[in-house]
Amino acid sequence: MENITGSRTGLRESKKARTRQQLAATALELFLERGFDAVSVADVAAAAEVSKPTLFRYFPTKEDLVLDRFADHQDEAARIVRERPDGLTPVRAVHEHFLAALAERDPITGLCDHPNVLAFQELLYSTASLQARIAHYTAGEVEALAAALEAEEVPPFPARLAALHLVTVRHELGRENWRRISAGQSADAAYPAAVAEADGAFAMLADGLDRTLGPLIPS
């Protein structure tokens, strides 16, 4: 009986995940085609052949139809800090992870010139309501990272301040990389400058934060 129940639960979760992906994909296609503000929630629901209440069960706001993928990265910085190797400070761990993502042209770094990624980022950075909604996801990212630092006995205020700085640097580096790509540079051409800026930005953080977080270096 437990196996049957577990199987049914797994199937339901899989169906929900597929529906969620379908809704997000349908919405993004419409937003890219017509513009975010020109497409209503009713338009998305009709195109996906679901009711508006069903859509809202999966996505609380219209903006979340675009930004839900950011939820996948909300605990990324916290995970990097928790799982960092011995001898690495939190700042250095996040820095090295960002450099590795740049080398892979990960879209989250902004250093990706794939047309689909560029279209998505243009939509994101040119829509005021999406920019405002990103604050919700950024706050979650900061909270998760601050909790990871507090778990290592950093007092709450330094932990929150450190988390805010680290998250902000990652986001701003990504935005600057996107500016380069949107201005016409290829990802390969922009890569050296992106690495140099990342090194400089994280070095500034290390000068201050590593003195505070220094005791967190595993030995």
Side-chain angles (χ1 to χ4, degrees):
M1 179 63 71
E2 289 182 3
N3 289 338
I4 293 176
T5 302
S7 177
R8 288 175 178 171
T9 300
L11 288 173
R12 283 197 298 270
E13 293 305 314
S14 295
K15 183 178 179 180
K16 287 180 181 179
R18 287 195 301 271
T19 300
R20 189 180 190 86
Q21 291 170 0
Q22 178 193 356
L23 289 171
T26 300
L28 184 58
E29 183 178 350
L30 290 174
F31 295 150
L32 291 175
E33 178 184 339
R34 305 182 199 171
F36 183 81
D37 294 328
V39 177
S40 69
V41 171
D43 292 333
V44 176
E49 299 182 340
V50 300
S51 67
K52 283 178 62 176
T54 295
L55 187 149
F56 280 126
R57 281 202 298 272
Y58 287 91
F59 298 97
T61 72
K62 178 183 170 184
E63 288 74 18
D64 288 324
L65 283 159
V66 176
L67 300 176
D68 184 64
R69 65 188 63 190
F70 279 74
D72 295 337
H73 294 275
Q74 275 191 302
D75 66 345
E76 185 173 70
R79 177 183 55 77
I80 293 165
V81 168
R82 287 194 306 265
E83 298 176 0
R84 69 190 188 280
D86 291 348
L88 220 56
T89 67
V91 175
R92 187 63 192 174
V94 176
H95 182 186
E96 290 189 0
H97 185 274
F98 191 83
L99 291 179
L102 284 176
E104 295 174 358
R105 308 298 190 263
D106 189 326
I108 202 68
T109 68
L111 194 70
C112 182
D113 51 15
H114 190 284
N116 290 346
V117 174
L118 284 174
F120 173 81
Q121 291 178 328
E122 178 64 31
L123 175 71
L124 179 65
Y125 290 122
S126 65
T127 306
S129 61
L130 291 175
Q131 287 293 292
R133 184 61 175 164
I134 283 177
H136 166 77
Y137 291 91
T138 299
E141 192 176 356
V142 170
E143 289 294 328
L145 180 53
L149 293 172
E150 287 179 30
E152 301 190 34
E153 301 184 357
V154 178
F157 178 69
R160 189 172 301 278
L161 193 58
L164 181 60
H165 281 305
L166 281 166
V167 168
T168 299
V169 161
R170 293 205 327 155
H171 287 194
E172 288 305 310
L173 288 171
R175 186 184 293 263
E176 186 59 30
N177 290 333
W178 168 76
R179 289 192 184 103
R180 290 191 181 94
I181 302 300
S182 66
Q185 278 191 283
S186 69
D188 289 345
Y191 177 70
V195 170
E197 283 199 353
D199 287 344
F202 282 106
M204 290 175 64
L205 289 187
D207 285 343
L209 295 183
D210 276 348
R211 283 197 293 270
T212 301
L213 304 177
L216 298 184
I217 303 175
S219 58

